[in-house]
Amino acid sequence: MIVLNGGSSSGKSGIARCLQAVLPDPWLTFGVDTLIEAMPASMRESDAGIEFAPDGGVAVGDGFRALEDAWIDGIVAMARAGARVIVDEVFLGGATSQRRWVDALGGLTVLWVGVRCESAVAEGREIARGDRVPGMAAAQAELVHQGVVYDLEVDTTRAESMECARIVAARVV
Amino acid sequence: MIVLNGGSSSGKSGIARCLQAVLPDPWLTFGVDTLIEAMPASMRESDAGIEFAPDGGVAVGDGFRALEDAWIDGIVAMARAGARVIVDEVFLGGATSQRRWVDALGGLTVLWVGVRCESAVAEGREIARGDRVPGMAAAQAELVHQGVVYDLEVDTTRAESMECARIVAARVV
Amino acid sequence: MIVLNGGSSSGKSGIARCLQAVLPDPWLTFGVDTLIEAMPASMRESDAGIEFAPDGGVAVGDGFRALEDAWIDGIVAMARAGARVIVDEVFLGGATSQRRWVDALGGLTVLWVGVRCESAVAEGREIARGDRVPGMAAAQAELVHQGVVYDLEVDTTRAESMECARIVAARVV
Amino acid sequence: MIVLNGGSSSGKSGIARCLQAVLPDPWLTFGVDTLIEAMPASMRESDAGIEFAPDGGVAVGDGFRALEDAWIDGIVAMARAGARVIVDEVFLGGATSQRRWVDALGGLTVLWVGVRCESAVAEGREIARGDRVPGMAAAQAELVHQGVVYDLEVDTTRAESMECARIVAARVV
């Protein structure tokens, strides 16, 4: 299992797709976006669910956390059942978020990868993508890495997704 | 856990979203589309993965089946961990596909729902949607129900998604 | 040129795609969604642009109207240049919206088609689709038809998109 | 009017969205993708329409060219009617494609912008995006610029979309 953690528009999904292309075995990619899409529409706007503020802030309620815990258990079970899994994550709680995964892993080996991108560059990419709430990239750029421990870190500020993927892949085989 | 099984364009996803809206608790929805999206792009065109033929036929290889087994284990683990889960499925193998779920469930209770739609109507909806390989609706309309055992069946040919969802919801509470 | 006018989730886009499938010549389909996508992200949230209220209301500003007038001129020019065009429209201003098209047409022949759907049914379909602001279907169901003059009307409440498309197509050839 | 011409995955759309964000007036963005989406599904696979070969090649037939001519006339009409328009184009025919626009412009002023990206880098980005036929980036990288005359050129190989957009914007005001 590989966990890629980084802020919005830091380039995690691009690295995940490049990893799927360069790694010799088939890997599945799941992310927090997969979970959000699976939720009822009402939870994307409610206190119990997730809320995207106009300034790019993201708040999640207890209902969201409960479903997320079950989601994490499920992803870990897929890995235990033999699937190679890349997780594309945004640790809004920093070290606390990482601990939730560690608690669920029960000894399963994970390659922890930090995906960094300078805030100003991530902001520009957020505008270029055009499908995200403006402000998320800047709000999350530093926040998601606080206290998180990595096996390796990549920085997309001046490196392409494919270059970063090759660095990660070299640690997998 | 609720499993909705039906052919392409039979209306499963619409029923799933209506169920999420009418059921009092939050339910997660996952489907075979979630799994396909998680796969490497190369598996969507290869012998080991999944292949969408120009005539609407769908063929899956051994590599796909292996990942799908791990996927099923993961979804079941989410349900065991307390998440309410709606599964939006296409049993290309009919009874054989259902057995794979039953084997993974280990006693977990499931409401099995068959979603039927007359082939000609499903074909028209496939054209109206415009985002599916033409021919899948007709090819799968009967195929996916062969030998499958249900707790209840709904038919979207002349009923709206919301009506079907209310029938299913009445069996959940 | 064919103009389909109806509220959100009344089934216009499905009818447009079915029309493209059943009409012998190639037809292009453009809609107000095409225009909104072409606008700067900032106009989708501002007073000068378009605003989707949480209750399903839609408000458009002067900046939006100015761009829309140019857009209408452009679509009419495509039709004059020989393209067969289906327009998928939401006349928020009813008869006033229709007049803006009539003024731009300069004698070009149009088949005006009203696409109706009972409010309660459109609301259910809006939930089943899951990609629209809830409330738009109900808010627009009657509003968009006020004072509008049609060559024919179809009702998707109990008819499939394909059936409605065949009725429209019979008037085109 | 601004025309951005470059190969698939060269970064045109990102530059267009950044231009919309940095230019003081509202600009509309249309591209060849808008036209393809407007076409009947059948034209995306037929000899008369457009065909995406598995190796990334793109072939367009006479039917496509006829509709494209009407489309160009329509976009020019929007600009004449007062809309500021950014066109996101792929000149598969190089200089011949540019001439078709020039012939339709009738004296309307255009800023011609070449968007370049080294083939290997564009290929990597194509994989990172995951939503394009692999091979298009490489096949088009040089092809689309053959014989085309520009007012300015930008290169996204080592520059962000936002940087390129600022260079273009400086020539607009």
Side-chain angles (χ1 to χ4, degrees), chain A residues 1-5 30-32 35 65 68-77 79-80 85-91 94-108 110 112:
Chain A
M1 194 154 131
I2 303 171
V3 176
L4 305 174
N5 176 48
F30 297 105
V32 68
L35 173 61
R65 285 290 172 227
E68 197 186 21
D69 277 331
W71 160 258
I72 290 173
D73 281 353
I75 299 296
V76 170
R80 279 194 193 294
V85 181
I86 300 167
V87 178
D88 172 350
E89 259 281 18
V90 183
F91 286 169
T96 311
S97 301
Q98 187 175 31
R99 175 166 308 274
R100 298 173 76 216
W101 276 97
V102 171
D103 289 347
L105 286 167
L108 196 81
V110 165
W112 299 97

mmCIF file of all heavy atoms in Angstrom, chain A residues 1-5 30-32 35 65 68-77 79-80 85-91 94-108 110 112:
data_model
loop_
_atom_site.group_PDB
_atom_site.id
_atom_site.type_symbol
_atom_site.label_atom_id
_atom_site.label_comp_id
_atom_site.label_asym_id
_atom_site.label_seq_id
_atom_site.Cartn_x
_atom_site.Cartn_y
_atom_site.Cartn_z
ATOM 1 N N MET A 1 0.833 -1.197 0.000
ATOM 2 C CA MET A 1 0.000 0.000 0.000
ATOM 3 C C MET A 1 0.871 1.253 0.000
ATOM 4 O O MET A 1 1.904 1.302 0.667
ATOM 5 C CB MET A 1 -0.898 -0.016 1.252
ATOM 6 C CG MET A 1 -2.019 0.960 1.226
ATOM 7 S SD MET A 1 -3.377 0.356 2.303
ATOM 8 C CE MET A 1 -3.701 1.836 3.254
ATOM 9 N N ILE A 2 0.465 2.227 -0.808
ATOM 10 C CA ILE A 2 1.159 3.512 -0.886
ATOM 11 C C ILE A 2 0.151 4.582 -0.482
ATOM 12 O O ILE A 2 -0.956 4.605 -1.012
ATOM 13 C CB ILE A 2 1.628 3.819 -2.331
ATOM 14 C CG1 ILE A 2 2.527 2.704 -2.872
ATOM 15 C CG2 ILE A 2 2.321 5.168 -2.394
ATOM 16 C CD1 ILE A 2 2.839 2.834 -4.372
ATOM 17 N N VAL A 3 0.520 5.435 0.473
ATOM 18 C CA VAL A 3 -0.342 6.561 0.804
ATOM 19 C C VAL A 3 0.334 7.849 0.346
ATOM 20 O O VAL A 3 1.442 8.164 0.778
ATOM 21 C CB VAL A 3 -0.646 6.638 2.320
ATOM 22 C CG1 VAL A 3 -1.469 7.879 2.633
ATOM 23 C CG2 VAL A 3 -1.387 5.390 2.780
ATOM 24 N N LEU A 4 -0.336 8.575 -0.572
ATOM 25 C CA LEU A 4 0.133 9.884 -1.022
ATOM 26 C C LEU A 4 -0.667 10.927 -0.262
ATOM 27 O O LEU A 4 -1.891 10.968 -0.359
ATOM 28 C CB LEU A 4 -0.141 10.076 -2.512
ATOM 29 C CG LEU A 4 0.396 9.045 -3.509
ATOM 30 C CD1 LEU A 4 -0.119 9.371 -4.918
ATOM 31 C CD2 LEU A 4 1.915 9.039 -3.512
ATOM 32 N N ASN A 5 0.010 11.774 0.514
ATOM 33 C CA ASN A 5 -0.699 12.819 1.248
ATOM 34 C C ASN A 5 -0.224 14.191 0.793
ATOM 35 O O ASN A 5 0.982 14.449 0.731
ATOM 36 C CB ASN A 5 -0.456 12.680 2.759
ATOM 37 C CG ASN A 5 -1.097 13.827 3.535
ATOM 38 O OD1 ASN A 5 -2.252 14.149 3.318
ATOM 39 N ND2 ASN A 5 -0.317 14.465 4.413
ATOM 40 N N PHE A 30 -7.560 4.801 -4.779
ATOM 41 C CA PHE A 30 -8.748 5.357 -4.129
ATOM 42 C C PHE A 30 -8.338 6.615 -3.389
ATOM 43 O O PHE A 30 -7.207 6.739 -2.936
ATOM 44 C CB PHE A 30 -9.345 4.361 -3.127
ATOM 45 C CG PHE A 30 -9.838 3.105 -3.759
ATOM 46 C CD1 PHE A 30 -9.117 1.926 -3.637
ATOM 47 C CD2 PHE A 30 -11.007 3.100 -4.490
ATOM 48 C CE1 PHE A 30 -9.563 0.756 -4.242
ATOM 49 C CE2 PHE A 30 -11.464 1.930 -5.100
ATOM 50 C CZ PHE A 30 -10.736 0.759 -4.974
ATOM 51 N N GLY A 31 -9.276 7.537 -3.261
ATOM 52 C CA GLY A 31 -8.936 8.757 -2.550
ATOM 53 C C GLY A 31 -10.105 9.253 -1.759
ATOM 54 O O GLY A 31 -11.206 8.685 -1.806
ATOM 55 N N VAL A 32 -9.874 10.321 -1.045
ATOM 56 C CA VAL A 32 -10.946 10.893 -0.249
ATOM 57 C C VAL A 32 -12.079 11.356 -1.171
ATOM 58 O O VAL A 32 -13.249 11.355 -0.784
ATOM 59 C CB VAL A 32 -10.407 12.028 0.654
ATOM 60 C CG1 VAL A 32 -9.977 13.216 -0.182
ATOM 61 C CG2 VAL A 32 -11.419 12.418 1.702
ATOM 62 N N LEU A 35 -14.602 8.621 -1.551
ATOM 63 C CA LEU A 35 -15.495 8.546 -0.394
ATOM 64 C C LEU A 35 -16.569 9.627 -0.448
ATOM 65 O O LEU A 35 -17.755 9.361 -0.218
ATOM 66 C CB LEU A 35 -14.672 8.679 0.899
ATOM 67 C CG LEU A 35 -15.468 8.777 2.202
ATOM 68 C CD1 LEU A 35 -16.315 7.527 2.436
ATOM 69 C CD2 LEU A 35 -14.545 9.019 3.392
ATOM 70 N N ARG A 65 -16.725 11.574 9.882
ATOM 71 C CA ARG A 65 -15.628 10.823 10.501
ATOM 72 C C ARG A 65 -15.995 9.361 10.717
ATOM 73 O O ARG A 65 -15.172 8.460 10.520
ATOM 74 C CB ARG A 65 -15.245 11.462 11.849
ATOM 75 C CG ARG A 65 -14.456 12.757 11.730
ATOM 76 C CD ARG A 65 -13.046 12.506 11.197
ATOM 77 N NE ARG A 65 -12.346 13.761 10.900
ATOM 78 C CZ ARG A 65 -11.676 13.984 9.764
ATOM 79 N NH1 ARG A 65 -11.622 13.063 8.821
ATOM 80 N NH2 ARG A 65 -11.059 15.118 9.576
ATOM 81 N N GLU A 68 -15.834 7.658 7.453
ATOM 82 C CA GLU A 68 -14.447 7.587 7.017
ATOM 83 C C GLU A 68 -13.703 6.456 7.735
ATOM 84 O O GLU A 68 -12.853 5.787 7.138
ATOM 85 C CB GLU A 68 -13.746 8.935 7.284
ATOM 86 C CG GLU A 68 -12.459 9.091 6.508
ATOM 87 C CD GLU A 68 -11.703 10.357 6.877
ATOM 88 O OE1 GLU A 68 -11.937 10.904 7.984
ATOM 89 O OE2 GLU A 68 -10.881 10.819 6.068
ATOM 90 N N ASP A 69 -14.005 6.244 9.007
ATOM 91 C CA ASP A 69 -13.358 5.146 9.731
ATOM 92 C C ASP A 69 -13.703 3.800 9.099
ATOM 93 O O ASP A 69 -12.832 2.944 8.940
ATOM 94 C CB ASP A 69 -13.776 5.167 11.212
ATOM 95 C CG ASP A 69 -12.929 6.152 12.021
ATOM 96 O OD1 ASP A 69 -11.758 6.384 11.648
ATOM 97 O OD2 ASP A 69 -13.430 6.694 13.021
ATOM 98 N N ALA A 70 -14.968 3.625 8.726
ATOM 99 C CA ALA A 70 -15.378 2.376 8.075
ATOM 100 C C ALA A 70 -14.711 2.248 6.706
ATOM 101 O O ALA A 70 -14.274 1.162 6.302
ATOM 102 C CB ALA A 70 -16.898 2.334 7.922
ATOM 103 N N TRP A 71 -14.606 3.371 5.998
ATOM 104 C CA TRP A 71 -13.946 3.429 4.687
ATOM 105 C C TRP A 71 -12.483 2.979 4.803
ATOM 106 O O TRP A 71 -12.008 2.143 4.027
ATOM 107 C CB TRP A 71 -14.058 4.861 4.166
ATOM 108 C CG TRP A 71 -13.088 5.286 3.101
ATOM 109 C CD1 TRP A 71 -11.969 6.044 3.276
ATOM 110 C CD2 TRP A 71 -13.167 5.017 1.693
ATOM 111 N NE1 TRP A 71 -11.343 6.269 2.072
ATOM 112 C CE2 TRP A 71 -12.059 5.645 1.090
ATOM 113 C CE3 TRP A 71 -14.060 4.311 0.908
ATOM 114 C CZ2 TRP A 71 -11.826 5.589 -0.278
ATOM 115 C CZ3 TRP A 71 -13.816 4.241 -0.466
ATOM 116 C CH2 TRP A 71 -12.714 4.875 -1.043
ATOM 117 N N ILE A 72 -11.780 3.509 5.798
ATOM 118 C CA ILE A 72 -10.371 3.142 6.004
ATOM 119 C C ILE A 72 -10.256 1.642 6.269
ATOM 120 O O ILE A 72 -9.410 0.961 5.689
ATOM 121 C CB ILE A 72 -9.761 3.973 7.163
ATOM 122 C CG1 ILE A 72 -9.614 5.439 6.730
ATOM 123 C CG2 ILE A 72 -8.413 3.395 7.611
ATOM 124 C CD1 ILE A 72 -9.176 6.399 7.842
ATOM 125 N N ASP A 73 -11.127 1.119 7.127
ATOM 126 C CA ASP A 73 -11.121 -0.324 7.389
ATOM 127 C C ASP A 73 -11.308 -1.114 6.090
ATOM 128 O O ASP A 73 -10.666 -2.145 5.884
ATOM 129 C CB ASP A 73 -12.256 -0.698 8.367
ATOM 130 C CG ASP A 73 -11.876 -0.384 9.822
ATOM 131 O OD1 ASP A 73 -10.711 -0.022 10.076
ATOM 132 O OD2 ASP A 73 -12.759 -0.495 10.688
ATOM 133 N N GLY A 74 -12.187 -0.627 5.242
ATOM 134 C CA GLY A 74 -12.459 -1.317 3.986
ATOM 135 C C GLY A 74 -11.265 -1.304 3.047
ATOM 136 O O GLY A 74 -10.932 -2.319 2.427
ATOM 137 N N ILE A 75 -10.602 -0.170 2.942
ATOM 138 C CA ILE A 75 -9.427 -0.081 2.060
ATOM 139 C C ILE A 75 -8.318 -1.002 2.571
ATOM 140 O O ILE A 75 -7.666 -1.707 1.790
ATOM 141 C CB ILE A 75 -8.917 1.385 1.983
ATOM 142 C CG1 ILE A 75 -9.992 2.308 1.399
ATOM 143 C CG2 ILE A 75 -7.626 1.464 1.174
ATOM 144 C CD1 ILE A 75 -10.385 2.008 -0.025
ATOM 145 N N VAL A 76 -8.134 -1.012 3.879
ATOM 146 C CA VAL A 76 -7.117 -1.897 4.463
ATOM 147 C C VAL A 76 -7.477 -3.360 4.184
ATOM 148 O O VAL A 76 -6.603 -4.170 3.842
ATOM 149 C CB VAL A 76 -6.978 -1.633 5.984
ATOM 150 C CG1 VAL A 76 -6.107 -2.696 6.646
ATOM 151 C CG2 VAL A 76 -6.396 -0.243 6.213
ATOM 152 N N ALA A 77 -8.758 -3.688 4.260
ATOM 153 C CA ALA A 77 -9.193 -5.065 3.973
ATOM 154 C C ALA A 77 -8.905 -5.447 2.522
ATOM 155 O O ALA A 77 -8.535 -6.587 2.230
ATOM 156 C CB ALA A 77 -10.682 -5.225 4.276
ATOM 157 N N ALA A 79 -6.438 -4.333 0.725
ATOM 158 C CA ALA A 79 -4.993 -4.579 0.657
ATOM 159 C C ALA A 79 -4.656 -5.940 1.263
ATOM 160 O O ALA A 79 -3.867 -6.707 0.708
ATOM 161 C CB ALA A 79 -4.234 -3.459 1.363
ATOM 162 N N ARG A 80 -5.274 -6.260 2.381
ATOM 163 C CA ARG A 80 -5.048 -7.571 3.014
ATOM 164 C C ARG A 80 -5.484 -8.701 2.092
ATOM 165 O O ARG A 80 -4.896 -9.788 2.096
ATOM 166 C CB ARG A 80 -5.880 -7.695 4.289
ATOM 167 C CG ARG A 80 -5.274 -7.027 5.459
ATOM 168 C CD ARG A 80 -5.936 -7.443 6.778
ATOM 169 N NE ARG A 80 -5.473 -6.503 7.792
ATOM 170 C CZ ARG A 80 -4.219 -6.426 8.192
ATOM 171 N NH1 ARG A 80 -3.313 -7.267 7.725
ATOM 172 N NH2 ARG A 80 -3.852 -5.521 9.069
ATOM 173 N N VAL A 85 -2.810 -1.188 -3.428
ATOM 174 C CA VAL A 85 -3.648 -0.002 -3.351
ATOM 175 C C VAL A 85 -2.840 1.274 -3.141
ATOM 176 O O VAL A 85 -1.968 1.329 -2.269
ATOM 177 C CB VAL A 85 -4.679 -0.124 -2.201
ATOM 178 C CG1 VAL A 85 -5.568 1.110 -2.137
ATOM 179 C CG2 VAL A 85 -5.535 -1.373 -2.364
ATOM 180 N N ILE A 86 -3.127 2.284 -3.976
ATOM 181 C CA ILE A 86 -2.591 3.634 -3.790
ATOM 182 C C ILE A 86 -3.708 4.466 -3.177
ATOM 183 O O ILE A 86 -4.814 4.493 -3.704
ATOM 184 C CB ILE A 86 -2.183 4.265 -5.141
ATOM 185 C CG1 ILE A 86 -1.110 3.422 -5.831
ATOM 186 C CG2 ILE A 86 -1.698 5.700 -4.941
ATOM 187 C CD1 ILE A 86 -0.887 3.795 -7.302
ATOM 188 N N VAL A 87 -3.426 5.125 -2.053
ATOM 189 C CA VAL A 87 -4.424 5.977 -1.425
ATOM 190 C C VAL A 87 -4.009 7.433 -1.634
ATOM 191 O O VAL A 87 -2.869 7.811 -1.362
ATOM 192 C CB VAL A 87 -4.552 5.667 0.085
ATOM 193 C CG1 VAL A 87 -5.560 6.596 0.729
ATOM 194 C CG2 VAL A 87 -4.944 4.218 0.295
ATOM 195 N N ASP A 88 -4.932 8.226 -2.146
ATOM 196 C CA ASP A 88 -4.704 9.630 -2.491
ATOM 197 C C ASP A 88 -5.426 10.447 -1.411
ATOM 198 O O ASP A 88 -6.634 10.601 -1.449
ATOM 199 C CB ASP A 88 -5.328 9.798 -3.895
ATOM 200 C CG ASP A 88 -5.386 11.218 -4.408
ATOM 201 O OD1 ASP A 88 -5.133 12.154 -3.651
ATOM 202 O OD2 ASP A 88 -5.726 11.372 -5.596
ATOM 203 N N GLU A 89 -4.660 10.932 -0.431
ATOM 204 C CA GLU A 89 -5.272 11.469 0.787
ATOM 205 C C GLU A 89 -4.960 12.948 1.049
ATOM 206 O O GLU A 89 -3.964 13.485 0.558
ATOM 207 C CB GLU A 89 -4.765 10.674 1.999
ATOM 208 C CG GLU A 89 -5.759 9.633 2.511
ATOM 209 C CD GLU A 89 -6.866 10.248 3.366
ATOM 210 O OE1 GLU A 89 -7.093 11.479 3.299
ATOM 211 O OE2 GLU A 89 -7.516 9.481 4.117
ATOM 212 N N VAL A 90 -5.818 13.578 1.822
ATOM 213 C CA VAL A 90 -5.630 14.950 2.280
ATOM 214 C C VAL A 90 -5.793 14.915 3.798
ATOM 215 O O VAL A 90 -6.912 14.864 4.291
ATOM 216 C CB VAL A 90 -6.689 15.894 1.660
ATOM 217 C CG1 VAL A 90 -6.450 17.332 2.091
ATOM 218 C CG2 VAL A 90 -6.692 15.784 0.145
ATOM 219 N N PHE A 91 -4.671 14.902 4.528
ATOM 220 C CA PHE A 91 -4.718 14.795 5.986
ATOM 221 C C PHE A 91 -5.058 16.145 6.609
ATOM 222 O O PHE A 91 -4.178 16.834 7.133
ATOM 223 C CB PHE A 91 -3.378 14.289 6.530
ATOM 224 C CG PHE A 91 -3.112 12.822 6.305
ATOM 225 C CD1 PHE A 91 -1.839 12.291 6.549
ATOM 226 C CD2 PHE A 91 -4.106 11.948 5.878
ATOM 227 C CE1 PHE A 91 -1.584 10.936 6.356
ATOM 228 C CE2 PHE A 91 -3.857 10.594 5.678
ATOM 229 C CZ PHE A 91 -2.584 10.084 5.924
ATOM 230 N N GLY A 94 -3.577 16.497 9.869
ATOM 231 C CA GLY A 94 -2.136 16.241 10.002
ATOM 232 C C GLY A 94 -1.862 14.910 10.674
ATOM 233 O O GLY A 94 -2.401 13.872 10.252
ATOM 234 N N ALA A 95 -1.014 14.929 11.712
ATOM 235 C CA ALA A 95 -0.597 13.704 12.403
ATOM 236 C C ALA A 95 -1.790 12.891 12.909
ATOM 237 O O ALA A 95 -1.759 11.655 12.919
ATOM 238 C CB ALA A 95 0.326 14.065 13.569
ATOM 239 N N THR A 96 -2.853 13.571 13.328
ATOM 240 C CA THR A 96 -4.048 12.868 13.821
ATOM 241 C C THR A 96 -4.676 12.018 12.715
ATOM 242 O O THR A 96 -5.123 10.893 12.953
ATOM 243 C CB THR A 96 -5.091 13.888 14.344
ATOM 244 O OG1 THR A 96 -4.429 14.791 15.228
ATOM 245 C CG2 THR A 96 -6.225 13.198 15.067
ATOM 246 N N SER A 97 -4.706 12.568 11.509
ATOM 247 C CA SER A 97 -5.247 11.821 10.371
ATOM 248 C C SER A 97 -4.391 10.593 10.079
ATOM 249 O O SER A 97 -4.905 9.513 9.790
ATOM 250 C CB SER A 97 -5.293 12.707 9.123
ATOM 251 O OG SER A 97 -6.079 13.853 9.341
ATOM 252 N N GLN A 98 -3.072 10.774 10.151
ATOM 253 C CA GLN A 98 -2.186 9.641 9.866
ATOM 254 C C GLN A 98 -2.389 8.526 10.899
ATOM 255 O O GLN A 98 -2.417 7.354 10.555
ATOM 256 C CB GLN A 98 -0.712 10.086 9.875
ATOM 257 C CG GLN A 98 0.242 8.982 9.409
ATOM 258 C CD GLN A 98 1.679 9.437 9.308
ATOM 259 O OE1 GLN A 98 2.126 10.304 10.063
ATOM 260 N NE2 GLN A 98 2.416 8.888 8.354
ATOM 261 N N ARG A 99 -2.575 8.937 12.161
ATOM 262 C CA ARG A 99 -2.747 7.948 13.224
ATOM 263 C C ARG A 99 -3.989 7.084 12.977
ATOM 264 O O ARG A 99 -3.995 5.882 13.270
ATOM 265 C CB ARG A 99 -2.864 8.632 14.592
ATOM 266 C CG ARG A 99 -3.181 7.656 15.755
ATOM 267 C CD ARG A 99 -2.956 8.305 17.100
ATOM 268 N NE ARG A 99 -1.629 8.884 17.157
ATOM 269 C CZ ARG A 99 -0.529 8.211 17.497
ATOM 270 N NH1 ARG A 99 -0.610 6.931 17.821
ATOM 271 N NH2 ARG A 99 0.639 8.817 17.512
ATOM 272 N N ARG A 100 -5.046 7.674 12.412
ATOM 273 C CA ARG A 100 -6.251 6.889 12.141
ATOM 274 C C ARG A 100 -5.955 5.759 11.156
ATOM 275 O O ARG A 100 -6.483 4.659 11.271
ATOM 276 C CB ARG A 100 -7.365 7.795 11.614
ATOM 277 C CG ARG A 100 -7.753 8.850 12.655
ATOM 278 C CD ARG A 100 -8.717 9.861 12.096
ATOM 279 N NE ARG A 100 -10.056 9.316 11.991
ATOM 280 C CZ ARG A 100 -10.904 9.596 11.020
ATOM 281 N NH1 ARG A 100 -10.528 10.387 10.032
ATOM 282 N NH2 ARG A 100 -12.102 9.083 11.011
ATOM 283 N N TRP A 101 -5.120 6.047 10.161
ATOM 284 C CA TRP A 101 -4.717 4.993 9.232
ATOM 285 C C TRP A 101 -3.835 3.966 9.936
ATOM 286 O O TRP A 101 -4.013 2.761 9.782
ATOM 287 C CB TRP A 101 -3.957 5.590 8.037
ATOM 288 C CG TRP A 101 -4.864 6.101 6.963
ATOM 289 C CD1 TRP A 101 -5.273 7.386 6.781
ATOM 290 C CD2 TRP A 101 -5.484 5.330 5.923
ATOM 291 N NE1 TRP A 101 -6.111 7.474 5.686
ATOM 292 C CE2 TRP A 101 -6.261 6.222 5.144
ATOM 293 C CE3 TRP A 101 -5.467 3.980 5.572
ATOM 294 C CZ2 TRP A 101 -7.006 5.797 4.035
ATOM 295 C CZ3 TRP A 101 -6.203 3.560 4.463
ATOM 296 C CH2 TRP A 101 -6.967 4.462 3.718
ATOM 297 N N VAL A 102 -2.845 4.440 10.706
ATOM 298 C CA VAL A 102 -1.915 3.534 11.391
ATOM 299 C C VAL A 102 -2.693 2.577 12.292
ATOM 300 O O VAL A 102 -2.425 1.369 12.305
ATOM 301 C CB VAL A 102 -0.873 4.339 12.209
ATOM 302 C CG1 VAL A 102 -0.041 3.410 13.094
ATOM 303 C CG2 VAL A 102 0.031 5.138 11.276
ATOM 304 N N ASP A 103 -3.679 3.103 13.010
ATOM 305 C CA ASP A 103 -4.481 2.258 13.906
ATOM 306 C C ASP A 103 -5.223 1.162 13.142
ATOM 307 O O ASP A 103 -5.442 0.067 13.662
ATOM 308 C CB ASP A 103 -5.497 3.116 14.680
ATOM 309 C CG ASP A 103 -4.814 3.992 15.725
ATOM 310 O OD1 ASP A 103 -3.616 3.758 16.010
ATOM 311 O OD2 ASP A 103 -5.458 4.918 16.251
ATOM 312 N N ALA A 104 -5.637 1.480 11.913
ATOM 313 C CA ALA A 104 -6.401 0.509 11.125
ATOM 314 C C ALA A 104 -5.498 -0.512 10.429
ATOM 315 O O ALA A 104 -5.945 -1.602 10.062
ATOM 316 C CB ALA A 104 -7.251 1.230 10.084
ATOM 317 N N LEU A 105 -4.230 -0.157 10.238
ATOM 318 C CA LEU A 105 -3.348 -0.985 9.412
ATOM 319 C C LEU A 105 -2.980 -2.312 10.062
ATOM 320 O O LEU A 105 -2.773 -3.316 9.360
ATOM 321 C CB LEU A 105 -2.065 -0.213 9.071
ATOM 322 C CG LEU A 105 -2.234 0.892 8.028
ATOM 323 C CD1 LEU A 105 -1.000 1.783 7.993
ATOM 324 C CD2 LEU A 105 -2.498 0.290 6.658
ATOM 325 N N GLY A 106 -2.864 -2.302 11.402
ATOM 326 C CA GLY A 106 -2.531 -3.556 12.098
ATOM 327 C C GLY A 106 -1.301 -4.239 11.544
ATOM 328 O O GLY A 106 -1.306 -5.438 11.310
ATOM 329 N N GLY A 107 -0.250 -3.504 11.290
ATOM 330 C CA GLY A 107 0.993 -4.127 10.859
ATOM 331 C C GLY A 107 1.191 -4.207 9.358
ATOM 332 O O GLY A 107 2.275 -4.544 8.880
ATOM 333 N N LEU A 108 0.154 -3.890 8.579
ATOM 334 C CA LEU A 108 0.301 -3.895 7.118
ATOM 335 C C LEU A 108 1.332 -2.833 6.709
ATOM 336 O O LEU A 108 1.321 -1.725 7.238
ATOM 337 C CB LEU A 108 -1.056 -3.564 6.476
ATOM 338 C CG LEU A 108 -1.205 -3.883 4.997
ATOM 339 C CD1 LEU A 108 -1.515 -5.378 4.812
ATOM 340 C CD2 LEU A 108 -2.347 -3.064 4.395
ATOM 341 N N VAL A 110 3.135 0.043 4.713
ATOM 342 C CA VAL A 110 2.721 1.168 3.888
ATOM 343 C C VAL A 110 3.937 2.013 3.531
ATOM 344 O O VAL A 110 4.837 2.186 4.350
ATOM 345 C CB VAL A 110 1.694 2.047 4.646
ATOM 346 C CG1 VAL A 110 1.528 3.396 3.957
ATOM 347 C CG2 VAL A 110 0.363 1.348 4.748
ATOM 348 N N TRP A 112 4.737 5.669 3.027
ATOM 349 C CA TRP A 112 4.143 6.989 3.261
ATOM 350 C C TRP A 112 4.848 8.040 2.416
ATOM 351 O O TRP A 112 6.051 8.252 2.581
ATOM 352 C CB TRP A 112 4.273 7.371 4.741
ATOM 353 C CG TRP A 112 3.580 6.440 5.680
ATOM 354 C CD1 TRP A 112 4.139 5.408 6.377
ATOM 355 C CD2 TRP A 112 2.176 6.452 6.029
ATOM 356 N NE1 TRP A 112 3.181 4.766 7.147
ATOM 357 C CE2 TRP A 112 1.972 5.384 6.952
ATOM 358 C CE3 TRP A 112 1.090 7.246 5.663
ATOM 359 C CZ2 TRP A 112 0.715 5.103 7.505
ATOM 360 C CZ3 TRP A 112 -0.149 6.969 6.212
ATOM 361 C CH2 TRP A 112 -0.336 5.915 7.122
#
